[in-house]
Amino acid sequence: MFITLTSPLDMHLHLRDGAMLQTVAPLSAETFAGAIVMPNLVPPIETEEALLSYKERILKASNSETFTPYMTLFFKPTYTKEFLESLKDELTAIKLYPAGITTNSEGGLSGFDVEELRPTLTAMSELNIPLCVHGETNGFVMDREAEFSSIYEMLASNFPKLKIIMEHITTKESVALLDKFENLYATITLHHLLITLDDVAGGMLQPHLFCKPIAKRPEDRAALLKVALEGHPKVMFGSDSAPHPQHAKEACGCAAGVFTAPIALQVLTELFMKHSSVQKLQAFVSDNAQKIYTNITVPKTTITLDERAFVVPDKYGEVVPMYAGETLKYSIVI
Ligand code: NCD
Ligand code: ZN
């Protein structure tokens, strides 16, 4: 049986820079038509010059005629409407990180004062630039995302015309928020559809499954799986594929991030097939995103998968992928 997907999109992706970019960009470009590229480099992408030159490096490294990087800036409350307007053709979204909450987010926001945020967020709503949010507080690790709900509610109600994307949601509380506010949307990763905290730390510690936000409880995973499998129009696939070199993961002080880009479509196909929902996969991996991000142009590509074993490599360059060495059920037809 063949499964064909049209213009699959990865709406949350870390491509890094330098040698790592050279390794990972072609892997995403091989299967995805485009991706929202996260700005958490060192230093973060905060200027026009940094954004345009990073885009150039991505295009060069991706080795593809079609792959489209959708660029983002690292949120600063000092961005003016004039600045954002001048960048509008190159800028797809802005990513907001609370300070220090995850990899390379030290320069993020240390408080959520509506009046301080108002000028930039109003400009973004007027210019149709979505706000992507890493929604975690610095509270107890299992409660961080649920505690952030009140901030999502504050943002959604104060800026009703702003599209707010709750990135990589992991809890049933976040799923419930989607239906409470018209302007809230979400990305869901592959790994959060598959694992719980038990897989990360219930047996021997699995550094390659350690990420922010940490995987939660079975009931949270079930809530995520439900909206993904039904093709809920407010959720989109965003891998949050976040490569770190093996030595940074298999270390005392393990870096957060799961690397899934080269296996994402194969595993999603297997998962949606298993749940007899493969007819909803197109919505989850592309159509919903195109309806939510009305400011993107998507190249028309097709990718076909078939039921043929794919043995996941132990490593891609210096990076160990999720399911390294394991056999997947579906392969990409080349
Ligand atoms: C991401 C990274 O490594 O950049 N890590 C992660 O665990 N997901 C950052 C992020 O999206 O939180
Ligand atoms: Zn991320």
Side-chain angles (χ1 to χ4, degrees), residues 104-296:
N104 305 335
S105 63
E106 292 70 23
L109 269 196
S110 39
F112 286 84
D113 173 30
V114 196
E115 293 319 315
E116 190 198 359
L117 302 174
R118 192 173 298 282
T120 304
L121 296 185
T122 304
M124 288 171 65
S125 0
E126 288 168 3
L127 296 167
N128 188 27
I129 301 171
L131 177 74
C132 303
V133 182
H134 184 117
E136 289 195 285
T137 67
N138 57 8
F140 180 67
V141 68
M142 288 294 278
D143 298 334
R144 287 176 186 178
E145 186 173 306
E147 285 175 5
F148 201 87
S149 293
S150 59
I151 300 176
Y152 278 131
E153 294 188 12
M154 179 277 280
L155 291 171
S157 53
N158 274 280
F159 304 97
K161 295 244 159 358
L162 177 67
K163 285 180 181 159
I164 300 168
I165 323 288
M166 303 189 284
E167 294 294 332
H168 42 51
I169 57 170
T170 62
T171 64
K172 57 183 183 352
E173 287 82 4
S174 296
V175 171
L177 267 187
L178 283 172
D179 294 326
K180 257 180 96 178
F181 291 90
E182 206 184 315
N183 57 332
L184 282 183
Y185 304 88
T187 56
I188 300 181
T189 73
L190 173 69
H191 47 285
H192 291 121
L193 291 174
L194 295 164
I195 64 170
T196 66
L197 182 61
D198 237 28
D199 298 289
V200 186
M204 286 171 82
L205 192 65
Q206 299 300 318
H208 298 292
L209 298 181
F210 172 65
C211 67
K212 304 285 179 75
I214 195 85
K216 305 291 188 311
R217 298 173 178 280
E219 56 270 34
D220 294 307
R221 178 181 56 183
L224 300 173
L225 202 50
K226 178 172 184 295
V227 282
L229 294 173
E230 73 192 20
H232 189 300
K234 295 183 100 184
V235 306
M236 340 166 234
F237 176 61
S239 71
D240 195 16
S241 179
H244 292 276
Q246 186 173 20
H247 65 79
K249 294 289 290 173
E250 297 176 11
C252 180
C254 165
V258 182
F259 182 57
T260 53
I263 61 159
L265 293 179
Q266 300 89 320
V267 181
L268 281 173
T269 301
E270 183 169 341
L271 184 67
F272 277 64
M273 285 297 278
K274 184 174 133 196
H275 291 276
S276 309
S277 300
V278 77
Q279 73 283 1
K280 298 290 184 189
L281 186 55
Q282 177 65 34
F284 183 58
V285 298
S286 185
D287 297 355
N288 292 349
Q290 296 191 51
K291 288 179 194 143
I292 296 166
Y293 277 84
T294 49
N295 60 340
I296 60 173

Side-chain angles (χ1 to χ4, degrees), residues 7-180:
S7 306
L9 298 171
D10 184 345
M11 302 309 279
H12 182 131
L13 176 66
H14 297 272
L15 286 174
R16 316 299 192 204
D17 212 341
M20 184 64 92
L21 172 66
Q22 304 303 320
T23 303
V24 302
L27 298 171
S28 283
E30 224 168 86
T31 50
F32 289 94
I36 297 275
V37 181
M38 290 296 131
N40 62 331
L41 303 185
V42 185
I45 305 294
E46 293 173 358
T47 64
E48 174 174 7
E49 194 191 357
L51 183 133
L52 295 179
S53 65
Y54 187 34
K55 184 178 178 187
E56 277 306 303
R57 295 197 295 284
I58 294 167
L59 285 170
K60 216 163 164 188
S62 63
N63 193 25
S64 155
E65 306 268 284
T66 46
F67 180 73
T68 307
Y70 302 112
M71 304 306 291
T72 64
L73 282 174
F74 191 101
F75 182 85
K76 292 273 159 192
T78 47
Y79 293 145
T80 62
K81 186 167 185 194
E82 293 66 41
F83 170 66
L84 298 177
E85 199 154 24
S86 71
L87 255 184
K88 208 175 169 288
D89 291 342
E90 296 293 345
L91 174 67
T92 299
I94 300 185
K95 175 71 185 285
L96 187 157
Y97 293 92
I101 208 68
T102 188
T103 312
N104 305 335
S105 63
E106 292 70 23
L109 269 196
S110 39
F112 286 84
D113 173 30
V114 196
E115 293 319 315
E116 190 198 359
L117 302 174
R118 192 173 298 282
T120 304
L121 296 185
T122 304
M124 288 171 65
S125 0
E126 288 168 3
L127 296 167
N128 188 27
I129 301 171
L131 177 74
C132 303
V133 182
H134 184 117
E136 289 195 285
T137 67
N138 57 8
F140 180 67
V141 68
M142 288 294 278
D143 298 334
R144 287 176 186 178
E145 186 173 306
E147 285 175 5
F148 201 87
S149 293
S150 59
I151 300 176
Y152 278 131
E153 294 188 12
M154 179 277 280
L155 291 171
S157 53
N158 274 280
F159 304 97
K161 295 244 159 358
L162 177 67
K163 285 180 181 159
I164 300 168
I165 323 288
M166 303 189 284
E167 294 294 332
H168 42 51
I169 57 170
T170 62
T171 64
K172 57 183 183 352
E173 287 82 4
S174 296
V175 171
L177 267 187
L178 283 172
D179 294 326
K180 257 180 96 178

